[in-house]
Amino acid sequence: MQFWAELAAEMSKDWFASHKARYEAEWVAPMTALLTDVGRRLQPAYKPRRLGAPKVLRIYRDVRFSRDKTPYKTHIGALITVDGKRVGEGGNAALYVHLGHDEDFVGVGIYQFDGPRLARFRKAVAGKPGVELARLVAKLRAAGYEVGGHDDYKRVPRGLPEDHPRAALLKLRGLTAGPRKIPAGLPIKPAFADWLVQHGTALAPLVRWLDRHVG
């Protein structure tokens, strides 16, 4: 974790250029190896669908439309998607791992629906598939998982009643789920892989629902 503290303090292109090999050796290579192993062990939960190879997200921040012009993220983000699709091209995360200076968490699902997927999600939730989703969400929450959206809508979609039995789901902009927290110190231990497989398998039914009904 020292790397992230140093990067946050320095936050310069010269510093990162001189430490890029360290970043790749200490974080990119181990994360890729970890998720390659975890993805192989998660695959049975997704048959007949295939999970893609793990993808480590760029460390460079997109500052084009941000007031914060710091050039680098202070965490590593990596994911495995169904069929290996990119996040911006319909990717549905079977596992996302976020570790670093700011926060640590693990999750699955779709952080924010684009227009076509939002329309498909709402149609599914309002219909019979929504009954199955509501049961899945209730079961996962009862098991201690956080399940929900981010910056969600205040009202249900136009044309549907405000008191719809699945109104809370209809207001979502995206749908993700994950453990409430990663146990302290676990990411540096071999048992982290087993922990990821355990929770990734438990959360797979939600990802499969999204894959079938939202894409």
Side-chain angles (χ1 to χ4, degrees), residues 64-121:
R64 291 173 298 172
F65 308 107
S66 175
R67 292 183 179 180
D68 180 0
K69 299 301 182 182
T70 51
Y72 304 106
K73 301 171 185 175
T74 53
H75 64 265
I76 191 168
L79 75 166
I80 303 167
T81 60
V82 179
D83 286 347
K85 293 181 180 178
R86 293 178 179 270
V87 173
E89 300 173 356
N92 186 356
L95 190 69
Y96 173 74
V97 179
H98 181 117
L99 302 172
H101 183 68
D102 45 6
E103 60 180 339
D104 301 333
F105 64 89
V106 168
V108 304
I110 303 172
Y111 187 81
Q112 191 168 64
F113 301 124
D114 58 22
R117 290 204 288 180
L118 178 61
R120 291 195 292 270
F121 175 76

Side-chain angles (χ1 to χ4, degrees), residues 27-44:
W27 285 97
V28 176
M31 181 66 80
T32 301
L34 172 68
L35 293 194
T36 297
D37 174 55
V38 170
R40 176 183 56 80
R41 294 161 64 187
L42 281 179
Q43 181 57 61

Side-chain angles (χ1 to χ4, degrees), residues 7-62:
L7 176 59
E10 297 288 343
M11 200 51 71
S12 74
K13 293 182 179 179
D14 288 343
W15 185 91
F16 183 72
S18 65
H19 289 78
K20 186 175 181 180
R22 175 185 168 198
Y23 163 66
E24 292 176 346
E26 293 182 0
W27 285 97
V28 176
M31 181 66 80
T32 301
L34 172 68
L35 293 194
T36 297
D37 174 55
V38 170
R40 176 183 56 80
R41 294 161 64 187
L42 281 179
Q43 181 57 61
Y46 283 90
K47 287 182 178 180
R49 304 290 276 175
R50 298 292 303 173
L51 297 181
K55 169 71 174 176
V56 175
L57 304 184
R58 287 167 51 87
I59 194 172
Y60 307 99
R61 295 184 63 250
D62 184 352

Side-chain angles (χ1 to χ4, degrees), residues 113-194:
F113 301 124
D114 58 22
R117 290 204 288 180
L118 178 61
R120 291 195 292 270
F121 175 76
R122 287 174 166 178
K123 180 179 180 180
V125 171
K128 188 175 180 180
V131 177
E132 178 190 2
L133 178 62
R135 289 174 183 155
L136 280 173
V137 169
K139 182 178 179 180
L140 289 173
R141 286 175 175 165
Y145 292 103
E146 291 185 335
V147 186
H150 312 273
D151 299 320
D152 298 319
Y153 295 99
K154 302 298 183 183
R155 303 176 67 88
V156 300
R158 188 174 300 175
L160 293 170
E162 286 291 331
D163 61 350
H164 191 284
R166 294 180 291 284
L169 292 174
L170 288 166
K171 295 176 185 178
L172 298 181
R173 287 179 183 266
L175 180 57
T176 62
R180 294 188 181 279
K181 63 179 181 178
I182 302 174
L186 184 62
I188 63 172
K189 298 176 181 178
F192 189 40
D194 297 333

